[in-house]
Amino acid sequence: MTKEEKRLDRLNELLFALPVDDMPMTLSELDGYVTGVLACPEMISSSEWLPEVWGETGEAHFADQKAAEETIGAVMAHYNAVAETITRSLWIEPIYEVDPNSDETLWEPWVDGFTRAMRLRPEAWANLRDQADDDTRATMIFMMALQNIYTGNSKFTDDEIDEIDLEAPDLIPNCVATILHQSRPELAAAVSANLPSMSHRAAPRPGRNDPCPCGSGRKYKLCCGRN
């Protein structure tokens, strides 16, 4: 197990230790949430977004001071790790949950976290949507459509939802990259300066259920796609 895997496992344990009645975020929800916070056109302070992690009340109810310090530190470390990834390339690798029975990739918690972050600054996101290019506007609408599927408010047919369900895990990273290109232009400019040939549309990557290109014989999501 790598150092990064150990860090994420411990973060998952700490989130799981929070009182379940408060409905704290899961690791996947947190990953989507901090990505949404960082993608926001406006700066959001940790004092504002952090309470949302603990649940509906905003109160963490930690077991003790030591648990409080470790949990807050682990959440902030993940925030910083995602920020570093975005700053480096605008490309993120979402942490999805996987159904242990069907091996199905569950993108819904991640999207729920991302859209919860958007609700912290609705006016900023609305202004971005109004001012963005057509591709970015369509991407933002698609992300909200994913949330509507998750909450059961989608107007898509069952067949359309089934198709989107299969494609969403691979589409979400590209959606985030497209949004970041508009919402965080200073990062996009820095990345373009370092990689002149790079477009904000990331190169196609293997599907999560495709064979991993490393030749291991395992699915991409269970091999290199985990990193």
Side-chain angles (χ1 to χ4, degrees):
M1 183 179 290
T2 66
K3 183 178 180 181
E4 178 67 4
E5 289 173 334
K6 290 180 180 179
R7 180 184 73 79
L8 293 175
D9 280 351
R10 183 54 182 161
L11 174 57
N12 186 51
E13 292 172 355
L14 292 167
L15 293 173
F16 190 76
L18 294 170
V20 65
D21 289 344
D22 292 341
M23 299 183 68
M25 290 185 181
T26 64
L27 177 58
S28 183
E29 288 172 327
L30 174 66
D31 190 58
Y33 182 66
V34 298
T35 302
V37 169
L38 289 161
C40 183
E42 293 183 3
M43 182 70 180
I44 304 176
S45 67
S46 59
S47 62
E48 182 177 354
W49 64 258
L50 197 55
E52 294 283 329
V53 176
W54 316 135
E56 294 182 339
T57 66
E59 298 292 334
H61 300 119
F62 294 114
D64 51 42
Q65 184 64 28
K66 180 180 179 181
E69 293 175 355
E70 184 179 7
T71 306
I72 294 172
V75 169
M76 293 306 302
H78 190 63
Y79 172 90
N80 292 333
V82 175
E84 181 182 354
T85 298
I86 288 174
T87 302
R88 185 171 61 248
S89 67
L90 301 185
W91 182 269
I92 52 99
E93 292 283 358
I95 298 174
Y96 298 127
E97 295 179 13
V98 177
D99 187 324
N101 296 316
S102 65
D103 198 33
E104 178 186 2
T105 298
L106 305 176
W107 51 265
E108 292 91 343
W110 193 97
V111 167
D112 188 51
F114 188 90
T115 55
R116 286 171 71 176
M118 293 178 72
R119 290 196 291 270
L120 294 176
R121 288 291 187 277
E123 291 186 5
W125 284 103
N127 290 336
L128 177 67
R129 184 189 62 231
D130 293 341
Q131 299 170 11
D133 58 36
D134 290 343
D135 287 340
T136 305
R137 188 178 301 113
T139 296
M140 293 176 65
I141 292 172
F142 176 71
M143 292 292 282
M144 296 310 300
L146 291 179
Q147 177 67 1
N148 287 337
I149 290 174
Y150 175 50
T151 57
N153 296 315
S154 177
K155 296 181 180 179
F156 288 118
T157 66
D158 290 344
D159 288 343
E160 289 172 331
I161 290 176
D162 288 343
E163 183 176 354
I164 292 172
D165 187 43
L166 291 173
E167 295 178 351
D170 295 326
L171 293 175
I172 287 171
N174 223 333
C175 289
V176 173
T178 300
I179 291 171
L180 284 167
H181 189 80
Q182 292 282 312
S183 68
R184 300 293 304 276
E186 74 283 5
L187 296 182
V191 170
S192 297
N194 292 330
L195 301 170
S197 62
M198 179 180 177
S199 167
H200 68 281
R201 296 191 177 285
R205 295 201 175 194
R208 292 180 64 78
N209 289 309
D210 291 341
C212 189
C214 75
S216 67
R218 291 182 290 175
K219 293 181 180 180
Y220 177 68
K221 67 182 178 183
L222 299 175
C223 191
C224 296
R226 298 183 61 183
N227 300 324

mmCIF file with all atom_site columns, all heavy atoms in Angstrom, residues 108-128:
data_model
loop_
_atom_site.group_PDB
_atom_site.id
_atom_site.type_symbol
_atom_site.label_atom_id
_atom_site.label_alt_id
_atom_site.label_comp_id
_atom_site.label_asym_id
_atom_site.label_entity_id
_atom_site.label_seq_id
_atom_site.pdbx_PDB_ins_code
_atom_site.Cartn_x
_atom_site.Cartn_y
_atom_site.Cartn_z
_atom_site.occupancy
_atom_site.B_iso_or_equiv
_atom_site.pdbx_formal_charge
_atom_site.auth_seq_id
_atom_site.auth_comp_id
_atom_site.auth_asym_id
_atom_site.auth_atom_id
_atom_site.pdbx_PDB_model_num
ATOM 1   N N   . GLU A 1 108 ? -22.347 8.905  -8.011  1.00 0.00 ? 108 GLU A N   1
ATOM 2   C CA  . GLU A 1 108 ? -23.346 9.807  -7.438  1.00 0.00 ? 108 GLU A CA  1
ATOM 3   C C   . GLU A 1 108 ? -22.881 10.552 -6.182  1.00 0.00 ? 108 GLU A C   1
ATOM 4   O O   . GLU A 1 108 ? -23.088 11.778 -6.087  1.00 0.00 ? 108 GLU A O   1
ATOM 5   C CB  . GLU A 1 108 ? -24.640 9.041  -7.152  1.00 0.00 ? 108 GLU A CB  1
ATOM 6   C CG  . GLU A 1 108 ? -25.373 8.559  -8.384  1.00 0.00 ? 108 GLU A CG  1
ATOM 7   C CD  . GLU A 1 108 ? -24.949 7.158  -8.820  1.00 0.00 ? 108 GLU A CD  1
ATOM 8   O OE1 . GLU A 1 108 ? -23.866 6.706  -8.361  1.00 0.00 ? 108 GLU A OE1 1
ATOM 9   O OE2 . GLU A 1 108 ? -25.681 6.523  -9.595  1.00 0.00 ? 108 GLU A OE2 1
ATOM 10  N N   . PRO A 1 109 ? -22.247 9.881  -5.186  1.00 0.00 ? 109 PRO A N   1
ATOM 11  C CA  . PRO A 1 109 ? -21.796 10.627 -4.006  1.00 0.00 ? 109 PRO A CA  1
ATOM 12  C C   . PRO A 1 109 ? -20.802 11.732 -4.347  1.00 0.00 ? 109 PRO A C   1
ATOM 13  O O   . PRO A 1 109 ? -20.832 12.815 -3.737  1.00 0.00 ? 109 PRO A O   1
ATOM 14  C CB  . PRO A 1 109 ? -21.157 9.542  -3.129  1.00 0.00 ? 109 PRO A CB  1
ATOM 15  C CG  . PRO A 1 109 ? -21.852 8.283  -3.537  1.00 0.00 ? 109 PRO A CG  1
ATOM 16  C CD  . PRO A 1 109 ? -22.064 8.427  -5.010  1.00 0.00 ? 109 PRO A CD  1
ATOM 17  N N   . TRP A 1 110 ? -19.929 11.468 -5.321  1.00 0.00 ? 110 TRP A N   1
ATOM 18  C CA  . TRP A 1 110 ? -18.944 12.483 -5.709  1.00 0.00 ? 110 TRP A CA  1
ATOM 19  C C   . TRP A 1 110 ? -19.641 13.710 -6.280  1.00 0.00 ? 110 TRP A C   1
ATOM 20  O O   . TRP A 1 110 ? -19.330 14.850 -5.921  1.00 0.00 ? 110 TRP A O   1
ATOM 21  C CB  . TRP A 1 110 ? -17.952 11.915 -6.727  1.00 0.00 ? 110 TRP A CB  1
ATOM 22  C CG  . TRP A 1 110 ? -16.741 12.770 -6.936  1.00 0.00 ? 110 TRP A CG  1
ATOM 23  C CD1 . TRP A 1 110 ? -15.515 12.625 -6.337  1.00 0.00 ? 110 TRP A CD1 1
ATOM 24  C CD2 . TRP A 1 110 ? -16.634 13.928 -7.781  1.00 0.00 ? 110 TRP A CD2 1
ATOM 25  N NE1 . TRP A 1 110 ? -14.655 13.624 -6.765  1.00 0.00 ? 110 TRP A NE1 1
ATOM 26  C CE2 . TRP A 1 110 ? -15.322 14.439 -7.643  1.00 0.00 ? 110 TRP A CE2 1
ATOM 27  C CE3 . TRP A 1 110 ? -17.521 14.585 -8.630  1.00 0.00 ? 110 TRP A CE3 1
ATOM 28  C CZ2 . TRP A 1 110 ? -14.875 15.562 -8.321  1.00 0.00 ? 110 TRP A CZ2 1
ATOM 29  C CZ3 . TRP A 1 110 ? -17.091 15.726 -9.307  1.00 0.00 ? 110 TRP A CZ3 1
ATOM 30  C CH2 . TRP A 1 110 ? -15.778 16.197 -9.152  1.00 0.00 ? 110 TRP A CH2 1
ATOM 31  N N   . VAL A 1 111 ? -20.586 13.479 -7.172  1.00 0.00 ? 111 VAL A N   1
ATOM 32  C CA  . VAL A 1 111 ? -21.321 14.590 -7.787  1.00 0.00 ? 111 VAL A CA  1
ATOM 33  C C   . VAL A 1 111 ? -22.133 15.343 -6.747  1.00 0.00 ? 111 VAL A C   1
ATOM 34  O O   . VAL A 1 111 ? -22.235 16.575 -6.785  1.00 0.00 ? 111 VAL A O   1
ATOM 35  C CB  . VAL A 1 111 ? -22.226 14.075 -8.926  1.00 0.00 ? 111 VAL A CB  1
ATOM 36  C CG1 . VAL A 1 111 ? -23.228 15.143 -9.367  1.00 0.00 ? 111 VAL A CG1 1
ATOM 37  C CG2 . VAL A 1 111 ? -21.379 13.634 -10.114 1.00 0.00 ? 111 VAL A CG2 1
ATOM 38  N N   . ASP A 1 112 ? -22.705 14.620 -5.790  1.00 0.00 ? 112 ASP A N   1
ATOM 39  C CA  . ASP A 1 112 ? -23.465 15.270 -4.730  1.00 0.00 ? 112 ASP A CA  1
ATOM 40  C C   . ASP A 1 112 ? -22.560 16.204 -3.931  1.00 0.00 ? 112 ASP A C   1
ATOM 41  O O   . ASP A 1 112 ? -22.960 17.320 -3.581  1.00 0.00 ? 112 ASP A O   1
ATOM 42  C CB  . ASP A 1 112 ? -24.083 14.218 -3.813  1.00 0.00 ? 112 ASP A CB  1
ATOM 43  C CG  . ASP A 1 112 ? -25.037 14.816 -2.794  1.00 0.00 ? 112 ASP A CG  1
ATOM 44  O OD1 . ASP A 1 112 ? -25.937 15.577 -3.188  1.00 0.00 ? 112 ASP A OD1 1
ATOM 45  O OD2 . ASP A 1 112 ? -24.881 14.537 -1.590  1.00 0.00 ? 112 ASP A OD2 1
ATOM 46  N N   . GLY A 1 113 ? -21.341 15.762 -3.651  1.00 0.00 ? 113 GLY A N   1
ATOM 47  C CA  . GLY A 1 113 ? -20.395 16.626 -2.946  1.00 0.00 ? 113 GLY A CA  1
ATOM 48  C C   . GLY A 1 113 ? -20.048 17.856 -3.753  1.00 0.00 ? 113 GLY A C   1
ATOM 49  O O   . GLY A 1 113 ? -20.002 18.978 -3.224  1.00 0.00 ? 113 GLY A O   1
ATOM 50  N N   . PHE A 1 114 ? -19.822 17.682 -5.054  1.00 0.00 ? 114 PHE A N   1
ATOM 51  C CA  . PHE A 1 114 ? -19.455 18.804 -5.920  1.00 0.00 ? 114 PHE A CA  1
ATOM 52  C C   . PHE A 1 114 ? -20.580 19.832 -5.970  1.00 0.00 ? 114 PHE A C   1
ATOM 53  O O   . PHE A 1 114 ? -20.335 21.041 -5.848  1.00 0.00 ? 114 PHE A O   1
ATOM 54  C CB  . PHE A 1 114 ? -19.148 18.294 -7.329  1.00 0.00 ? 114 PHE A CB  1
ATOM 55  C CG  . PHE A 1 114 ? -18.571 19.339 -8.247  1.00 0.00 ? 114 PHE A CG  1
ATOM 56  C CD1 . PHE A 1 114 ? -17.195 19.521 -8.328  1.00 0.00 ? 114 PHE A CD1 1
ATOM 57  C CD2 . PHE A 1 114 ? -19.393 20.137 -9.033  1.00 0.00 ? 114 PHE A CD2 1
ATOM 58  C CE1 . PHE A 1 114 ? -16.653 20.483 -9.168  1.00 0.00 ? 114 PHE A CE1 1
ATOM 59  C CE2 . PHE A 1 114 ? -18.856 21.100 -9.875  1.00 0.00 ? 114 PHE A CE2 1
ATOM 60  C CZ  . PHE A 1 114 ? -17.488 21.271 -9.949  1.00 0.00 ? 114 PHE A CZ  1
ATOM 61  N N   . THR A 1 115 ? -21.808 19.387 -6.146  1.00 0.00 ? 115 THR A N   1
ATOM 62  C CA  . THR A 1 115 ? -22.928 20.323 -6.244  1.00 0.00 ? 115 THR A CA  1
ATOM 63  C C   . THR A 1 115 ? -23.256 20.970 -4.899  1.00 0.00 ? 115 THR A C   1
ATOM 64  O O   . THR A 1 115 ? -23.746 22.099 -4.847  1.00 0.00 ? 115 THR A O   1
ATOM 65  C CB  . THR A 1 115 ? -24.171 19.631 -6.818  1.00 0.00 ? 115 THR A CB  1
ATOM 66  O OG1 . THR A 1 115 ? -24.494 18.467 -6.043  1.00 0.00 ? 115 THR A OG1 1
ATOM 67  C CG2 . THR A 1 115 ? -23.940 19.208 -8.267  1.00 0.00 ? 115 THR A CG2 1
ATOM 68  N N   . ARG A 1 116 ? -22.958 20.274 -3.799  1.00 0.00 ? 116 ARG A N   1
ATOM 69  C CA  . ARG A 1 116 ? -23.120 20.901 -2.476  1.00 0.00 ? 116 ARG A CA  1
ATOM 70  C C   . ARG A 1 116 ? -22.161 22.068 -2.334  1.00 0.00 ? 116 ARG A C   1
ATOM 71  O O   . ARG A 1 116 ? -22.507 23.101 -1.738  1.00 0.00 ? 116 ARG A O   1
ATOM 72  C CB  . ARG A 1 116 ? -22.895 19.869 -1.369  1.00 0.00 ? 116 ARG A CB  1
ATOM 73  C CG  . ARG A 1 116 ? -24.057 18.904 -1.228  1.00 0.00 ? 116 ARG A CG  1
ATOM 74  C CD  . ARG A 1 116 ? -23.740 17.760 -0.285  1.00 0.00 ? 116 ARG A CD  1
ATOM 75  N NE  . ARG A 1 116 ? -23.664 18.182 1.107   1.00 0.00 ? 116 ARG A NE  1
ATOM 76  C CZ  . ARG A 1 116 ? -23.470 17.344 2.112   1.00 0.00 ? 116 ARG A CZ  1
ATOM 77  N NH1 . ARG A 1 116 ? -23.336 16.044 1.882   1.00 0.00 ? 116 ARG A NH1 1
ATOM 78  N NH2 . ARG A 1 116 ? -23.422 17.780 3.352   1.00 0.00 ? 116 ARG A NH2 1
ATOM 79  N N   . ALA A 1 117 ? -20.970 21.927 -2.885  1.00 0.00 ? 117 ALA A N   1
ATOM 80  C CA  . ALA A 1 117 ? -20.016 23.031 -2.869  1.00 0.00 ? 117 ALA A CA  1
ATOM 81  C C   . ALA A 1 117 ? -20.521 24.193 -3.724  1.00 0.00 ? 117 ALA A C   1
ATOM 82  O O   . ALA A 1 117 ? -20.349 25.364 -3.359  1.00 0.00 ? 117 ALA A O   1
ATOM 83  C CB  . ALA A 1 117 ? -18.650 22.560 -3.367  1.00 0.00 ? 117 ALA A CB  1
ATOM 84  N N   . MET A 1 118 ? -21.141 23.880 -4.851  1.00 0.00 ? 118 MET A N   1
ATOM 85  C CA  . MET A 1 118 ? -21.685 24.934 -5.716  1.00 0.00 ? 118 MET A CA  1
ATOM 86  C C   . MET A 1 118 ? -22.751 25.744 -4.987  1.00 0.00 ? 118 MET A C   1
ATOM 87  O O   . MET A 1 118 ? -22.882 26.956 -5.209  1.00 0.00 ? 118 MET A O   1
ATOM 88  C CB  . MET A 1 118 ? -22.261 24.325 -6.988  1.00 0.00 ? 118 MET A CB  1
ATOM 89  C CG  . MET A 1 118 ? -21.227 23.687 -7.906  1.00 0.00 ? 118 MET A CG  1
ATOM 90  S SD  . MET A 1 118 ? -21.961 22.911 -9.376  1.00 0.00 ? 118 MET A SD  1
ATOM 91  C CE  . MET A 1 118 ? -22.446 24.380 -10.313 1.00 0.00 ? 118 MET A CE  1
ATOM 92  N N   . ARG A 1 119 ? -23.493 25.089 -4.101  1.00 0.00 ? 119 ARG A N   1
ATOM 93  C CA  . ARG A 1 119 ? -24.565 25.794 -3.376  1.00 0.00 ? 119 ARG A CA  1
ATOM 94  C C   . ARG A 1 119 ? -24.024 26.776 -2.339  1.00 0.00 ? 119 ARG A C   1
ATOM 95  O O   . ARG A 1 119 ? -24.782 27.597 -1.805  1.00 0.00 ? 119 ARG A O   1
ATOM 96  C CB  . ARG A 1 119 ? -25.500 24.782 -2.717  1.00 0.00 ? 119 ARG A CB  1
ATOM 97  C CG  . ARG A 1 119 ? -26.348 24.015 -3.723  1.00 0.00 ? 119 ARG A CG  1
ATOM 98  C CD  . ARG A 1 119 ? -27.528 23.320 -3.052  1.00 0.00 ? 119 ARG A CD  1
ATOM 99  N NE  . ARG A 1 119 ? -27.135 22.219 -2.195  1.00 0.00 ? 119 ARG A NE  1
ATOM 100 C CZ  . ARG A 1 119 ? -27.004 20.961 -2.607  1.00 0.00 ? 119 ARG A CZ  1
ATOM 101 N NH1 . ARG A 1 119 ? -27.187 20.658 -3.882  1.00 0.00 ? 119 ARG A NH1 1
ATOM 102 N NH2 . ARG A 1 119 ? -26.662 20.012 -1.752  1.00 0.00 ? 119 ARG A NH2 1
ATOM 103 N N   . LEU A 1 120 ? -22.728 26.713 -2.051  1.00 0.00 ? 120 LEU A N   1
ATOM 104 C CA  . LEU A 1 120 ? -22.131 27.699 -1.148  1.00 0.00 ? 120 LEU A CA  1
ATOM 105 C C   . LEU A 1 120 ? -22.024 29.074 -1.809  1.00 0.00 ? 120 LEU A C   1
ATOM 106 O O   . LEU A 1 120 ? -21.995 30.096 -1.111  1.00 0.00 ? 120 LEU A O   1
ATOM 107 C CB  . LEU A 1 120 ? -20.738 27.239 -0.710  1.00 0.00 ? 120 LEU A CB  1
ATOM 108 C CG  . LEU A 1 120 ? -20.647 25.982 0.150   1.00 0.00 ? 120 LEU A CG  1
ATOM 109 C CD1 . LEU A 1 120 ? -19.185 25.624 0.406   1.00 0.00 ? 120 LEU A CD1 1
ATOM 110 C CD2 . LEU A 1 120 ? -21.400 26.148 1.470   1.00 0.00 ? 120 LEU A CD2 1
ATOM 111 N N   . ARG A 1 121 ? -21.936 29.094 -3.137  1.00 0.00 ? 121 ARG A N   1
ATOM 112 C CA  . ARG A 1 121 ? -21.808 30.343 -3.889  1.00 0.00 ? 121 ARG A CA  1
ATOM 113 C C   . ARG A 1 121 ? -22.705 30.297 -5.134  1.00 0.00 ? 121 ARG A C   1
ATOM 114 O O   . ARG A 1 121 ? -22.228 30.342 -6.258  1.00 0.00 ? 121 ARG A O   1
ATOM 115 C CB  . ARG A 1 121 ? -20.355 30.570 -4.313  1.00 0.00 ? 121 ARG A CB  1
ATOM 116 C CG  . ARG A 1 121 ? -19.387 30.948 -3.213  1.00 0.00 ? 121 ARG A CG  1
ATOM 117 C CD  . ARG A 1 121 ? -19.674 32.349 -2.675  1.00 0.00 ? 121 ARG A CD  1
ATOM 118 N NE  . ARG A 1 121 ? -18.640 32.771 -1.748  1.00 0.00 ? 121 ARG A NE  1
ATOM 119 C CZ  . ARG A 1 121 ? -18.610 32.438 -0.465  1.00 0.00 ? 121 ARG A CZ  1
ATOM 120 N NH1 . ARG A 1 121 ? -19.571 31.671 0.038   1.00 0.00 ? 121 ARG A NH1 1
ATOM 121 N NH2 . ARG A 1 121 ? -17.635 32.859 0.321   1.00 0.00 ? 121 ARG A NH2 1
ATOM 122 N N   . PRO A 1 122 ? -24.025 30.242 -4.947  1.00 0.00 ? 122 PRO A N   1
ATOM 123 C CA  . PRO A 1 122 ? -24.920 30.110 -6.108  1.00 0.00 ? 122 PRO A CA  1
ATOM 124 C C   . PRO A 1 122 ? -24.824 31.263 -7.097  1.00 0.00 ? 122 PRO A C   1
ATOM 125 O O   . PRO A 1 122 ? -24.898 31.056 -8.317  1.00 0.00 ? 122 PRO A O   1
ATOM 126 C CB  . PRO A 1 122 ? -26.316 30.024 -5.474  1.00 0.00 ? 122 PRO A CB  1
ATOM 127 C CG  . PRO A 1 122 ? -26.152 30.615 -4.099  1.00 0.00 ? 122 PRO A CG  1
ATOM 128 C CD  . PRO A 1 122 ? -24.761 30.274 -3.680  1.00 0.00 ? 122 PRO A CD  1
ATOM 129 N N   . GLU A 1 123 ? -24.647 32.481 -6.591  1.00 0.00 ? 123 GLU A N   1
ATOM 130 C CA  . GLU A 1 123 ? -24.573 33.621 -7.493  1.00 0.00 ? 123 GLU A CA  1
ATOM 131 C C   . GLU A 1 123 ? -23.306 33.588 -8.336  1.00 0.00 ? 123 GLU A C   1
ATOM 132 O O   . GLU A 1 123 ? -23.333 33.917 -9.529  1.00 0.00 ? 123 GLU A O   1
ATOM 133 C CB  . GLU A 1 123 ? -24.651 34.930 -6.697  1.00 0.00 ? 123 GLU A CB  1
ATOM 134 C CG  . GLU A 1 123 ? -26.014 35.187 -6.071  1.00 0.00 ? 123 GLU A CG  1
ATOM 135 C CD  . GLU A 1 123 ? -26.095 36.545 -5.408  1.00 0.00 ? 123 GLU A CD  1
ATOM 136 O OE1 . GLU A 1 123 ? -25.115 37.325 -5.517  1.00 0.00 ? 123 GLU A OE1 1
ATOM 137 O OE2 . GLU A 1 123 ? -27.131 36.832 -4.777  1.00 0.00 ? 123 GLU A OE2 1
ATOM 138 N N   . ALA A 1 124 ? -22.197 33.202 -7.734  1.00 0.00 ? 124 ALA A N   1
ATOM 139 C CA  . ALA A 1 124 ? -20.932 33.128 -8.476  1.00 0.00 ? 124 ALA A CA  1
ATOM 140 C C   . ALA A 1 124 ? -21.025 32.098 -9.594  1.00 0.00 ? 124 ALA A C   1
ATOM 141 O O   . ALA A 1 124 ? -20.559 32.329 -10.722 1.00 0.00 ? 124 ALA A O   1
ATOM 142 C CB  . ALA A 1 124 ? -19.787 32.779 -7.533  1.00 0.00 ? 124 ALA A CB  1
ATOM 143 N N   . TRP A 1 125 ? -21.643 30.949 -9.302  1.00 0.00 ? 125 TRP A N   1
ATOM 144 C CA  . TRP A 1 125 ? -21.789 29.911 -10.317 1.00 0.00 ? 125 TRP A CA  1
ATOM 145 C C   . TRP A 1 125 ? -22.779 30.336 -11.394 1.00 0.00 ? 125 TRP A C   1
ATOM 146 O O   . TRP A 1 125 ? -22.586 30.027 -12.586 1.00 0.00 ? 125 TRP A O   1
ATOM 147 C CB  . TRP A 1 125 ? -22.217 28.598 -9.672  1.00 0.00 ? 125 TRP A CB  1
ATOM 148 C CG  . TRP A 1 125 ? -21.096 27.906 -8.965  1.00 0.00 ? 125 TRP A CG  1
ATOM 149 C CD1 . TRP A 1 125 ? -20.874 27.852 -7.620  1.00 0.00 ? 125 TRP A CD1 1
ATOM 150 C CD2 . TRP A 1 125 ? -20.033 27.175 -9.563  1.00 0.00 ? 125 TRP A CD2 1
ATOM 151 N NE1 . TRP A 1 125 ? -19.740 27.136 -7.342  1.00 0.00 ? 125 TRP A NE1 1
ATOM 152 C CE2 . TRP A 1 125 ? -19.200 26.700 -8.516  1.00 0.00 ? 125 TRP A CE2 1
ATOM 153 C CE3 . TRP A 1 125 ? -19.686 26.864 -10.881 1.00 0.00 ? 125 TRP A CE3 1
ATOM 154 C CZ2 . TRP A 1 125 ? -18.061 25.933 -8.748  1.00 0.00 ? 125 TRP A CZ2 1
ATOM 155 C CZ3 . TRP A 1 125 ? -18.551 26.100 -11.122 1.00 0.00 ? 125 TRP A CZ3 1
ATOM 156 C CH2 . TRP A 1 125 ? -17.748 25.647 -10.061 1.00 0.00 ? 125 TRP A CH2 1
ATOM 157 N N   . ALA A 1 126 ? -23.833 31.041 -11.003 1.00 0.00 ? 126 ALA A N   1
ATOM 158 C CA  . ALA A 1 126 ? -24.804 31.520 -11.985 1.00 0.00 ? 126 ALA A CA  1
ATOM 159 C C   . ALA A 1 126 ? -24.155 32.534 -12.923 1.00 0.00 ? 126 ALA A C   1
ATOM 160 O O   . ALA A 1 126 ? -24.384 32.510 -14.144 1.00 0.00 ? 126 ALA A O   1
ATOM 161 C CB  . ALA A 1 126 ? -26.006 32.146 -11.272 1.00 0.00 ? 126 ALA A CB  1
ATOM 162 N N   . ASN A 1 127 ? -23.335 33.413 -12.363 1.00 0.00 ? 127 ASN A N   1
ATOM 163 C CA  . ASN A 1 127 ? -22.633 34.397 -13.198 1.00 0.00 ? 127 ASN A CA  1
ATOM 164 C C   . ASN A 1 127 ? -21.661 33.714 -14.150 1.00 0.00 ? 127 ASN A C   1
ATOM 165 O O   . ASN A 1 127 ? -21.531 34.116 -15.320 1.00 0.00 ? 127 ASN A O   1
ATOM 166 C CB  . ASN A 1 127 ? -21.886 35.398 -12.320 1.00 0.00 ? 127 ASN A CB  1
ATOM 167 C CG  . ASN A 1 127 ? -22.819 36.325 -11.566 1.00 0.00 ? 127 ASN A CG  1
ATOM 168 O OD1 . ASN A 1 127 ? -23.957 36.548 -11.986 1.00 0.00 ? 127 ASN A OD1 1
ATOM 169 N ND2 . ASN A 1 127 ? -22.355 36.871 -10.446 1.00 0.00 ? 127 ASN A ND2 1
ATOM 170 N N   . LEU A 1 128 ? -20.975 32.693 -13.649 1.00 0.00 ? 128 LEU A N   1
ATOM 171 C CA  . LEU A 1 128 ? -20.048 31.957 -14.506 1.00 0.00 ? 128 LEU A CA  1
ATOM 172 C C   . LEU A 1 128 ? -20.795 31.300 -15.658 1.00 0.00 ? 128 LEU A C   1
ATOM 173 O O   . LEU A 1 128 ? -20.357 31.359 -16.807 1.00 0.00 ? 128 LEU A O   1
ATOM 174 C CB  . LEU A 1 128 ? -19.305 30.900 -13.694 1.00 0.00 ? 128 LEU A CB  1
ATOM 175 C CG  . LEU A 1 128 ? -18.345 30.002 -14.496 1.00 0.00 ? 128 LEU A CG  1
ATOM 176 C CD1 . LEU A 1 128 ? -17.169 30.816 -15.021 1.00 0.00 ? 128 LEU A CD1 1
ATOM 177 C CD2 . LEU A 1 128 ? -17.839 28.842 -13.642 1.00 0.00 ? 128 LEU A CD2 1
#
